[in-house]
């Protein structure tokens, strides 16, 4: 059985370009990027990959930045349904001889879903968002990459 690509889209936001970098604080969901994919068959498989560069803020106190990354279908914020979410965090502490920290982090993940009858014949928006659910502030530095492929 062969696999055919029905649609493929991606968005890249390079570090230091566009809206990057930007600081996020706990409590709000921020749109990172989005694209539209065509779903034309109940047998379509939709694969989405994301990579996000971010940086924790250095403090003298121990902090635990924790980010919640989401993929939403059909819009860029609630009430668009969340089809996938994952968290990433970094423990940043101090040692006796001073701060010990690696400030730059990269989060990468992949999600695959099957088409449903409601999606067939539509162009669906897939949005990558982030919400800071930890402490202190975090900077989304980039690059931000979102890649989507529809297979038959």
């Amino acid at each position: 059985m062969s696999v055919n690509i029905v649609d493929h889209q991606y968005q890249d936001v390079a570090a230091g370009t566009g809206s990057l970098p930007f600081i996020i604080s706990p409590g709000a969901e921020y749109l990172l990027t989005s694209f539209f994919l065509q779903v034309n068959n109940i047998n379509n498989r939709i694969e989405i990959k994301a990579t996000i560069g971010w940086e924790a803020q250095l403090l003298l106190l121990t902090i635990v930045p924790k980010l919640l990354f989401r993929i939403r279908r059909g819009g860029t914020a609630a009430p668009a349904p969340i089809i996938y979410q994952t968290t990433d965090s970094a423990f940043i502490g101090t040692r006796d001889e001073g701060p010990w920290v690696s400030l730059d982090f990269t989060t990468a993940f992949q999600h695959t879903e099957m088409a449903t009858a409601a999606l067939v014949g539509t162009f669906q928006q897939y949005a990558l968002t982030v919400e800071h659910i930890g402490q202190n502030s975090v900077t989304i530095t980039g690059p931000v990459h979102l890649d989507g492929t529809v297979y038959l």
Side-chain angles (χ1 to χ4, degrees), residues 92-124:
I92 300 172
T94 60
R95 299 185 302 188
D96 293 339
E97 63 270 18
W100 178 75
V101 57
S102 174
L103 287 177
D104 296 317
F105 302 94
T106 301
T107 301
F109 57 88
Q110 179 176 328
H111 170 70
T112 302
E113 67 176 2
M114 295 302 295
T116 63
L119 298 180
V120 173
T122 66
F123 279 93
Q124 287 294 313

Side-chain angles (χ1 to χ4, degrees), residues 9-140:
Q9 297 292 322
Y10 69 93
Q11 289 291 327
D12 279 315
V13 184
T17 65
S19 60
L20 296 177
F22 69 95
I23 297 173
I24 61 173
S25 298
E29 185 175 7
Y30 299 87
L31 174 66
L32 296 175
T33 192
S34 71
F35 55 61
F36 288 83
L37 290 172
Q38 180 179 3
V39 181
N40 62 8
N41 189 300
I42 192 69
N43 295 316
N44 284 156
R45 186 179 83 232
I46 301 124
E47 180 180 84
I48 298 174
K49 299 175 186 175
T51 305
I52 306 100
W54 57 281
E55 178 181 281
Q57 302 300 307
L58 176 63
L59 290 179
L60 296 177
L61 303 173
T62 301
I63 62 169
V64 181
K66 187 174 183 182
L67 300 179
L68 176 60
F69 295 99
R70 295 181 175 115
I71 297 175
R72 292 184 178 271
R73 183 188 334 105
T76 59
I82 298 166
I83 62 164
Y84 180 81
Q85 67 180 23
T86 189
T87 59
D88 197 3
S89 63
F91 178 77
I92 300 172
T94 60
R95 299 185 302 188
D96 293 339
E97 63 270 18
W100 178 75
V101 57
S102 174
L103 287 177
D104 296 317
F105 302 94
T106 301
T107 301
F109 57 88
Q110 179 176 328
H111 170 70
T112 302
E113 67 176 2
M114 295 302 295
T116 63
L119 298 180
V120 173
T122 66
F123 279 93
Q124 287 294 313
Q125 183 176 24
Y126 289 86
L128 174 63
T129 68
V130 63
E131 181 178 352
H132 185 351
I133 58 174
Q135 300 172 10
N136 206 8
S137 62
V138 169
T139 302
I140 303 297

